[in-house]
Amino acid sequence: MSAEEQLRADIVEAGRRMDARGYVASNDGNISTRIDKDRLLTTPKSVPKGYMTPDMMVIVDYEGRKLAGDRDASSELPMHLEIYRNRPDVNAVVHAHPPTATGFATAGIPLTRAVLAEVVTTLGSIPIAEYGTPSTAELPAAVRKYIKAHDGMLLANHGAVTCGRDVMSAYYKMETIEHFAKISLVARLLGGENLISREEVERLQGLRGMYGIAAPAPLCADPSEDIDDPALCQVLEAPEGTGERLIPDVNAVLKTASRTGEIRLTYGELTALIADAVKNLRDLR
Ligand SMILES: [Zn+2]
């Protein structure tokens, strides 16, 4: 199998998995990969991603002009091109509408809490790119803000996009985002997540080298500061300085209380609330 045939086969396989896992409906979603410095291979327009064959792919240049193929490239190609322009280290892009992650994207809730060690180590934080009309220049512009510092992001009221060193690695990041969204949803239904402390996050990210993970960006030094445009660091919600590795999410406890008019706290949650109040008092001085 030639290198290009392998790329075609990888896109077909990633499309099949996206379909099997329900990440797309109808003709949704698109996948692309670099062939070389002048050419990209991408999925065609108007084809269900679970039913593609290798010959259906379209070859385009980095301006989006078609070079070969019987079909036309996806209308979301400009978003892919924007990612390649900003990320010379990346060779593939995957876009889909996985339902739980897209639910978060639609509710305006980013996946930026330090909750799962695996996600902290691989993707870090998963922000929401602001809403842009699909297939227009708005979507690439929205993605541009975060793509330098993130390998995956939600797209407001639309879906998610990921990138990676090859097709399958970009696809697996999509799986990680959807899996993380499902777990976050369940944890919130059960009363809220415990958060991983900042110290532990730094330890986890320090392990990236050991697993051969090229981290897209470091954590922002002061998460409360407005991030640059475009972002060059990641904002991750991870409480600092408590000495504990897992910390109850104080805000979730308070939110539940305001809904039910009743507060039931575990010892850990009470301690965290008091620590938070003391910290706020100190910051006020
Ligand atoms: Zn889409």
Side-chain angles (χ1 to χ4, degrees):
M1 202 185 272
S2 75
E4 189 188 311
E5 281 167 352
Q6 183 62 54
L7 295 175
R8 288 174 185 265
D10 289 347
I11 294 180
V12 168
E13 178 61 21
R16 261 191 217 131
R17 294 191 193 195
M18 265 168 32
D19 175 74
R21 287 181 169 261
Y23 292 178
V24 284
S26 180
N27 301 326
D28 294 346
N30 26 77
I31 305 166
S32 68
T33 183
R34 293 184 200 268
I35 301 174
D36 52 36
K37 65 175 191 15
D38 301 313
R39 297 177 306 153
L40 287 169
L41 189 65
T42 182
T43 47
K45 199 180 257 177
S46 311
V47 173
K49 299 301 158 307
Y51 299 85
M52 297 185 296
T53 50
D55 58 294
M56 285 182 182
M57 306 309 158
V58 188
I59 297 178
V60 296
D61 67 14
Y62 285 85
E63 300 301 320
R65 288 179 293 244
K66 186 161 109 174
L67 302 175
D70 297 334
R71 296 163 188 263
D72 287 331
S74 140
S75 54
E76 246 23 306
L77 183 63
M79 174 173 71
H80 293 237
L81 297 175
E82 186 66 35
I83 295 176
Y84 292 117
R85 270 195 284 274
N86 285 281
R87 292 290 300 273
D89 59 314
V90 146
N91 295 315
V93 175
V94 169
H95 164 57
H97 306 163
T100 311
T102 305
F104 275 82
T106 304
I109 304 170
L111 292 165
T112 50
R113 288 182 173 178
V115 174
L116 297 178
E118 169 74 19
V119 178
V120 167
T121 314
T122 55
L123 283 152
S125 132
I126 303 154
I128 304 182
E130 79 183 52
Y131 181 76
T133 307
S135 316
T136 70
E138 288 177 6
L139 203 53
V143 165
R144 191 180 309 138
K145 173 161 182 175
Y146 292 108
I147 197 60
K148 278 199 159 74
H150 301 83
D151 281 357
M153 70 189 84
L154 306 178
L155 307 172
N157 292 61
H158 181 167
V161 66
T162 54
C163 58
R165 65 177 186 278
D166 53 40
V167 172
M168 290 318 286
S169 113
Y171 167 74
Y172 285 133
K173 285 176 195 167
M174 187 63 75
E175 274 194 2
T176 299
I177 289 182
E178 178 63 357
H179 200 230
F180 181 32
K182 282 183 185 161
I183 292 168
S184 298
L185 179 63
V186 172
R188 288 178 198 201
L189 288 172
L190 297 175
E193 308 98 317
N194 287 329
L195 301 181
I196 297 176
S197 73
R198 196 170 172 95
E199 298 76 23
E200 180 67 8
V201 164
E202 279 160 7
R203 192 174 311 147
L204 287 168
Q205 296 197 335
L207 296 176
R208 280 173 166 168
M210 202 168 93
Y211 298 116
I213 298 164
L219 290 182
C220 298
D222 180 0
S224 61
E225 242 171 58
D226 260 354
I227 53 167
D228 308 344
D229 193 12
L232 299 174
C233 59
Q234 292 197 344
V235 173
L236 193 62
E237 231 180 285
E240 205 168 0
T242 63
E244 299 291 326
R245 290 199 288 177
L246 295 180
I247 299 131
D249 180 9
V250 175
N251 292 325
V253 172
L254 291 177
K255 226 178 280 161
T256 314
S258 69
R259 222 174 29 232
T260 60
E262 179 184 342
I263 298 188
R264 277 188 217 165
L265 296 174
T266 62
Y267 181 77
E269 285 164 349
L270 180 63
T271 317
L273 258 182
I274 294 170
D276 195 54
V278 170
K279 185 177 175 296
N280 285 341
L281 277 175
R282 246 189 247 135
D283 291 349
L284 279 177
R285 278 196 305 194

